[in-house]
Amino acid sequence: MRGDISINAERLLGEIEHISQFSDVPAPAVTRILYTPADMAARHYLKQLADAAGLPWREDALGNWFVRLQGTEPDLPAVATGSHIDAIPYAGKYDGVVGVLGGLEALRAIREAGVTPRRSLELIMFTAEEPTRFGVGCLGSRGMAGLMPWDAMRALQDANGVSLEQARADAGYTGELESVELSRDAYAYFVELHIEQGPFLEAADREIGIVTDIVASTTVRVTLTGEGGHAGTVPMPERNDALAAAAELVLLAEKAAGFRSRGLAVATVGMLDVHPGASNSIPSRVELTLDVRAREMRVRDAMLEEVHTGLKALARSRRIRHEWQVLNHDPACRSDPRILTAIARSAEALGHAHLSLVSRAYHDTVFMARHFPAAMIFIPCHEGYSHRPEEFAAPEHIVAGTETLTSTLVELAAL
Ligand code: HGY
Ligand code: MN
Ligand code: MN
């Protein structure tokens, strides 16, 4: 990195610790769901940091947050970085946060070094990267890219029947939803810093991951409906038990992904609700979510087809009605080669060993890449733990990632 720009490691690491307290569960776990008091408190904290750094910021109608470091040619498309701060239930403290606070540190370090980049730099904190509240991930970046019909987004409801419209209005975001969409020339490049959420960088003893592509992911909500009835009096042959059908579906999904294969195809049923939920009542309805991913879209689509076909067959034989509602069906994302080169050049100049790899988690980068050249920088996380309280990123890796991001942003802003 240019000799005069230096990361304030103590400040950055302290802020990552500090923001983790905004959570609905006790440390070391973090739960920070869209528009909840914990989320709003964390957002407020970020705004205080930007204000303290003298960096102007704005928010859009969904709560996407933008912090700008003006360049010498402000009319040029800017170079953007960013990530998210929302956290699924009982997550860790680094997922997303490293990219938001690392990005803020990059802008501050450049400004404090008295460097004014040619292109403006912009940090984005994306609203709702996690699907927790409304079932669809990356709501903020999806909206910015104009990739979800606005009425479909408006119609989203949480588990309590609160609409997205109501929830964002309650949080103080009242602008027209359509105003969230970015112009296609808003940015020249987008780079996201994130923990790997997998084991490969740590296993290879590399500090920096250069993300070549991001897997294709789909989420489906499946509803299975039977007759239910008394657990003691309905003979087994006469039952159409919705939960037994769901159990068969879960194993079907596991098999479709090639259970025990070390491939990149995965399938997960992460949520399952049973109705009526009484020990002496045959489940009459089950609602579950199916998350299916693969590096190649045709593999992902084939797995989906296998599970859907299997579901139809088991529903027939069990006399179960079924609904298959696709919540999101997203493409794989390939990184921009020019940015990959800039990341590698920065990592090497900084003496950080790097490794190229695929992201098996999805990120806001998937949606930014639909309109802007984009790529990601990973740092290791211990044992690959993520979406669990044991998630851990070493301080030296957070600093290495932020240094590499800063250097990459400086290089891209000069182009
Ligand atoms: O699920 C994902 O891949 C991301 O962490 N939200
Ligand atoms: Mn996550
Ligand atoms: Mn994330």
Side-chain angles (χ1 to χ4, degrees):
M1 190 153 51
R2 295 183 43 165
D4 42 5
I5 302 174
S6 64
I7 298 304
N8 183 329
E10 189 185 346
R11 172 171 65 185
L12 170 59
L13 298 170
E15 289 164 356
I16 290 174
E17 283 306 314
H18 188 85
I19 203 170
S20 67
Q21 71 181 298
F22 303 116
S23 164
D24 288 332
V25 292
V30 177
T31 297
R32 194 159 47 235
I33 310 298
L34 177 64
Y35 301 145
T36 57
D39 181 33
M40 301 312 286
R43 290 166 179 265
H44 178 66
Y45 174 61
L46 289 177
K47 291 168 187 170
Q48 289 176 313
L49 296 179
D51 289 344
L55 290 168
W57 52 267
R58 70 179 179 88
E59 283 182 306
D60 70 13
L62 262 176
N64 294 306
W65 182 64
F66 305 81
V67 187
R68 198 166 180 92
L69 175 62
Q70 197 80 306
T72 56
E73 298 186 44
D75 297 337
L76 286 177
V79 175
T81 184
S83 195
H84 64 98
I85 59 166
D86 58 326
I88 70 167
Y90 297 95
K93 67 173 80 164
Y94 302 95
D95 176 3
V97 165
V98 166
V100 175
L101 287 171
L104 179 62
E105 182 56 31
L107 267 55
R108 286 183 302 202
I110 292 167
R111 188 168 189 273
E112 288 162 3
V115 172
T116 306
R118 175 171 175 250
R119 294 177 183 275
S120 298
L121 295 176
E122 192 147 89
L123 165 67
I124 305 168
M125 190 281 294
F126 296 97
T127 272
E129 190 273 349
E130 299 293 3
T132 313
R133 183 164 181 187
F134 288 101
V136 177
C138 299
L139 272 184
S141 51
R142 230 178 261 273
M144 288 162 66
L147 290 170
M148 183 171 185
W150 298 111
D151 286 343
M153 192 178 282
R154 262 188 270 273
L156 291 172
Q157 286 194 354
D158 68 11
N160 300 317
V162 178
S163 68
L164 174 71
E165 281 303 85
Q166 188 57 54
R168 74 183 181 95
D170 294 347
Y173 301 114
T174 52
E176 275 301 301
L177 206 47
E178 287 77 355
S179 65
V180 165
E181 186 167 356
L182 293 174
S183 67
R184 297 291 183 263
D185 63 355
Y187 299 120
Y189 302 98
F190 175 78
V191 190
E192 179 171 5
L193 171 64
H194 203 285
I195 57 170
E196 178 196 342
Q197 299 179 297
F200 296 108
L201 286 177
E202 184 179 59
D205 193 21
R206 305 290 174 84
E207 295 172 286
I208 296 296
I210 302 180
V211 178
T212 55
D213 52 313
I214 302 172
V215 298
S217 72
T218 297
T219 316
V220 183
R221 179 178 290 135
V222 178
T223 306
L224 302 171
T225 309
E227 293 303 315
H230 194 295
T233 58
V234 179
M236 293 308 283
E238 293 171 25
R239 294 182 177 204
N240 47 7
D241 182 329
L243 184 53
E248 199 173 332
L249 177 63
V250 172
L251 295 177
L252 200 67
E254 196 180 50
K255 179 172 163 289
F259 182 50
R260 293 195 186 83
S261 86
R262 299 302 291 168
L264 297 184
V266 290
T268 313
V269 173
M271 295 172 77
L272 185 146
D273 287 318
V274 182
H275 179 83
S279 62
N280 56 353
S281 174
I282 303 166
S284 57
R285 191 179 73 251
V286 167
E287 192 168 287
L288 59 85
T289 57
L290 174 65
D291 177 311
V292 174
R293 311 183 190 197
R295 190 172 192 179
E296 294 85 18
M297 287 188 270
R298 60 177 177 75
V299 171
R300 186 269 312 270
D301 295 347
M303 284 195 317
L304 276 173
E305 183 56 34
E306 183 178 330
V307 176
H308 200 179
T309 305
L311 170 59
K312 290 172 192 166
L314 77 88
R316 230 183 345 268
S317 73
R318 288 175 172 272
R319 302 188 317 285
I320 289 279
R321 296 189 305 285
H322 63 284
E323 290 164 52
W324 177 275
Q325 181 196 1
V326 175
L327 299 179
N328 65 279
H329 183 64
D330 300 319
C333 158
R334 295 206 67 78
S335 297
D336 178 85
R338 291 164 299 177
I339 304 177
L340 295 180
T341 305
I343 296 169
R345 208 177 0 250
S346 293
E348 285 152 17
L350 289 158
H352 299 317
H354 58 80
L355 173 75
S356 292
L357 75 173
V358 61
S359 174
R360 299 174 298 144
Y362 60 72
H363 300 278
D364 292 302
T365 299
V366 168
F367 302 95
M368 294 299 278
R370 298 289 285 275
H371 303 310
F372 313 110
M376 293 187 76
I377 300 169
F378 273 175
I379 60 168
C381 54
H382 181 55
E383 295 286 346
Y385 294 153
S386 185
H387 284 191
R388 52 186 284 195
E390 300 85 354
E391 184 181 272
F392 178 75
E396 63 273 20
H397 293 155
I398 294 171
V399 173
T402 304
E403 285 178 342
T404 304
L405 172 69
T406 306
S407 173
T408 302
L409 295 175
V410 168
E411 178 174 335
L412 295 174
L415 297 180

